[in-house]
Coordinates of all heavy atoms in Angstrom, one line a residue:
Q234 N 88.2 87.6 103.8 CA 89.0 87.0 102.8 C 89.3 88.0 101.7 O 88.3 88.5 101.1 CB 88.3 85.7 102.2 CG 88.1 84.6 103.2 CD 87.4 83.4 102.5 OE1 86.6 83.6 101.5 NE2 87.6 82.2 103.0
F235 N 90.5 88.1 101.3 CA 90.8 88.8 100.1 C 90.7 87.9 98.8 O 90.4 88.3 97.7 CB 92.2 89.5 100.1 CG 92.4 90.5 99.0 CD1 91.9 91.7 99.1 CD2 93.2 90.2 97.9 CE1 92.1 92.7 98.1 CE2 93.4 91.1 96.9 CZ 92.8 92.4 97.0
G236 N 91.0 86.6 99.0 CA 91.0 85.7 97.9 C 89.7 84.9 97.8 O 89.6 83.9 97.1
G237 N 88.7 85.3 98.6 CA 87.4 84.6 98.5 C 86.3 85.6 98.8 O 86.4 86.8 98.7
R238 N 85.1 85.1 99.1 CA 83.9 85.9 99.3 C 83.3 85.8 100.7 O 82.2 86.2 100.9 CB 82.8 85.6 98.2 CG 83.3 85.8 96.8 CD 82.2 85.3 95.8 NE 80.9 85.9 96.1 CZ 79.9 85.2 96.5 NH1 79.9 83.9 96.6 NH2 78.7 85.9 96.7
S239 N 84.1 85.2 101.6 CA 83.5 84.9 102.9 C 83.9 85.9 104.0 O 85.1 86.3 104.0 CB 83.8 83.5 103.3 OG 83.3 82.5 102.4
V240 N 83.0 86.1 104.9 CA 83.3 86.8 106.2 C 83.3 85.6 107.2 O 82.4 84.8 107.3 CB 82.2 87.8 106.6 CG1 82.5 88.4 107.9 CG2 82.1 88.9 105.5
L241 N 84.4 85.5 107.9 CA 84.6 84.4 108.8 C 84.6 84.7 110.3 O 84.9 85.9 110.6 CB 86.0 83.8 108.5 CG 86.3 83.4 107.0 CD1 87.8 83.0 106.9 CD2 85.4 82.3 106.5
A242 N 84.2 83.8 111.1 CA 84.4 83.9 112.6 C 85.3 82.8 113.0 O 85.3 81.7 112.5 CB 83.0 83.8 113.2
W243 N 86.2 83.2 114.0 CA 87.2 82.2 114.5 C 87.5 82.5 115.9 O 87.6 83.7 116.3 CB 88.4 82.2 113.6 CG 89.5 81.3 114.2 CD1 89.6 80.0 114.0 CD2 90.6 81.7 114.9 NE1 90.7 79.5 114.6 CE2 91.4 80.6 115.2 CE3 91.1 83.0 115.4 CZ2 92.6 80.6 116.0 CZ3 92.3 83.0 116.2 CH2 93.0 81.8 116.4
K244 N 87.6 81.4 116.7 CA 88.0 81.5 118.1 C 89.3 80.8 118.3 O 89.5 79.7 117.7 CB 86.9 81.0 119.0 CG 85.6 81.7 119.0 CD 84.6 81.1 120.0 CE 83.3 81.8 120.0 NZ 82.3 81.2 120.9
P245 N 90.2 81.3 119.1 CA 91.4 80.6 119.4 C 91.1 79.2 119.9 O 90.3 79.0 120.8 CB 92.1 81.5 120.5 CG 91.6 82.9 120.2 CD 90.2 82.7 119.8
G246 N 91.8 78.3 119.3 CA 91.6 76.9 119.7 C 90.8 76.1 118.6 O 90.9 74.9 118.5
D247 N 90.0 76.9 117.8 CA 89.3 76.3 116.7 C 90.2 75.9 115.6 O 91.2 76.6 115.3 CB 88.2 77.2 116.1 CG 87.0 77.5 117.1 OD1 87.0 76.7 118.1 OD2 86.2 78.3 116.8
K248 N 90.0 74.7 115.0 CA 90.9 74.2 113.9 C 90.7 75.0 112.6 O 91.6 75.1 111.8 CB 90.7 72.7 113.7 CG 91.1 71.9 114.9 CD 91.0 70.4 114.5 CE 91.5 69.5 115.7 NZ 91.3 68.1 115.4
A249 N 89.5 75.5 112.4 CA 89.2 76.3 111.2 C 88.2 77.3 111.5 O 87.4 77.1 112.4 CB 88.8 75.3 110.1
P250 N 88.1 78.4 110.7 CA 87.0 79.3 110.9 C 85.7 78.9 110.3 O 85.7 77.9 109.5 CB 87.6 80.6 110.1 CG 88.4 80.0 109.0 CD 89.0 78.7 109.6
S251 N 84.6 79.5 110.7 CA 83.3 79.2 110.2 C 82.9 80.4 109.3 O 83.2 81.6 109.6 CB 82.3 78.9 111.3 OG 82.2 80.0 112.2
V252 N 82.1 80.2 108.3 CA 81.6 81.2 107.4 C 80.3 81.8 108.0 O 79.4 81.0 108.4 CB 81.3 80.7 106.0 CG1 80.6 81.7 105.1 CG2 82.5 80.1 105.4
I253 N 80.2 83.1 108.2 CA 79.1 83.7 108.8 C 78.3 84.6 107.8 O 77.2 85.0 108.0 CB 79.4 84.5 110.1 CG1 80.4 85.6 109.8 CG2 79.8 83.6 111.2 CD1 80.7 86.5 111.0
A254 N 79.0 84.9 106.7 CA 78.3 85.7 105.6 C 79.1 85.6 104.3 O 80.3 85.2 104.3 CB 78.2 87.2 106.1
K255 N 78.4 85.9 103.2 CA 79.1 86.0 101.9 C 78.8 87.3 101.3 O 77.8 88.0 101.6 CB 78.4 84.9 101.0 CG 78.8 83.5 101.4 CD 80.2 83.1 100.8 CE 80.4 81.6 101.0 NZ 81.7 81.2 100.3
G256 N 79.8 87.8 100.5 CA 79.6 89.1 99.8 C 80.4 89.1 98.5 O 80.7 88.0 98.0
P257 N 80.7 90.3 98.0 CA 81.3 90.4 96.7 C 82.8 89.9 96.7 O 83.3 89.6 95.6 CB 81.3 91.9 96.4 CG 81.2 92.5 97.7 CD 80.4 91.6 98.6
G258 N 83.5 89.8 97.8 CA 84.8 89.4 97.8 C 85.9 90.5 97.7 O 85.5 91.6 97.8
E259 N 87.1 90.0 97.6 CA 88.3 91.0 97.7 C 88.1 91.9 98.9 O 88.3 93.1 98.8 CB 88.4 91.8 96.4 CG 89.0 90.9 95.2 CD 89.3 91.8 94.0 OE1 88.4 92.6 93.6 OE2 90.4 91.6 93.5
F260 N 87.8 91.3 100.0 CA 87.6 92.1 101.2 C 89.0 92.5 101.8 O 90.0 91.9 101.6 CB 86.9 91.2 102.3 CG 85.5 90.8 101.9 CD1 85.1 89.5 102.1 CD2 84.6 91.8 101.5 CE1 83.8 89.1 101.8 CE2 83.3 91.4 101.2 CZ 82.9 90.1 101.3
D261 N 89.0 93.7 102.4 CA 90.2 94.2 103.0 C 90.1 94.5 104.5 O 90.5 93.7 105.3 CB 90.6 95.5 102.2 CG 92.1 95.8 102.4 OD1 92.6 95.7 103.6 OD2 92.8 96.2 101.5

Side-chain angles (χ1 to χ4, degrees):
Q234 298 179 333
F235 192 77
R238 299 178 51 246
S239 296
V240 178
L241 308 171
W243 176 78
K244 294 180 180 179
D247 289 352
K248 292 184 179 180
S251 58
V252 176
I253 58 175
K255 290 276 191 177
E259 286 188 311
F260 295 131
D261 199 316

